[in-house]
Amino acid sequence: DKFQVEPGALMGASQLRDFRENKFSIFHYTYQFEYMLDGTPCQPWNVGEWSLDKRHFNDIYPAYPLPPPPKGANAAAGWLLDAFNEAMGAIP
């Protein structure tokens, strides 16, 4: 197993092969996930039509549940979204 992964929207399927197989102990949430609605990833520091970026929530709570990523988004975007929604759903 590997220690950590730092995925972002621009990581391709081949780069995330080990991620899909749960071989990492830590998901280091560094990079934002920004996509156009057709699933095209945005270039770094551009906000997409679908966006999952912790920087949007510095002074507000995110709305629950967060909407799913567009088709074509990588597996890490879906995993992180599910983790956010699971955690927010557990708040009493």
Side-chain angles (χ1 to χ4, degrees), residues 47-72:
V47 177
E49 295 169 310
W50 184 88
S51 178
L52 183 58
D53 186 345
K54 62 188 174 188
R55 294 158 192 86
H56 297 315
F57 309 121
N58 286 335
D59 58 352
I60 60 170
Y61 292 109
Y64 173 77
L66 294 171
K71 291 184 181 187

Side-chain angles (χ1 to χ4, degrees), residues 35-41 49 70-73:
Y35 289 94
M36 301 309 287
L37 293 181
D38 67 0
T40 303
E49 295 169 310
K71 291 184 181 187

Side-chain angles (χ1 to χ4, degrees), residues 18-89:
D18 289 341
F19 176 80
R20 286 191 308 272
E21 296 172 5
N22 296 314
K23 291 188 175 184
F24 295 96
S25 299
I26 295 175
F27 185 117
H28 185 168
Y29 180 32
T30 302
Y31 304 108
Q32 68 275 22
F33 291 88
E34 306 286 347
Y35 289 94
M36 301 309 287
L37 293 181
D38 67 0
T40 303
C42 296
Q43 293 301 310
W45 309 115
N46 289 306
V47 177
E49 295 169 310
W50 184 88
S51 178
L52 183 58
D53 186 345
K54 62 188 174 188
R55 294 158 192 86
H56 297 315
F57 309 121
N58 286 335
D59 58 352
I60 60 170
Y61 292 109
Y64 173 77
L66 294 171
K71 291 184 181 187
N74 68 34
W79 186 93
L80 185 59
L81 176 85
D82 290 345
F84 266 91
N85 282 334
E86 179 181 342
M88 288 189 295

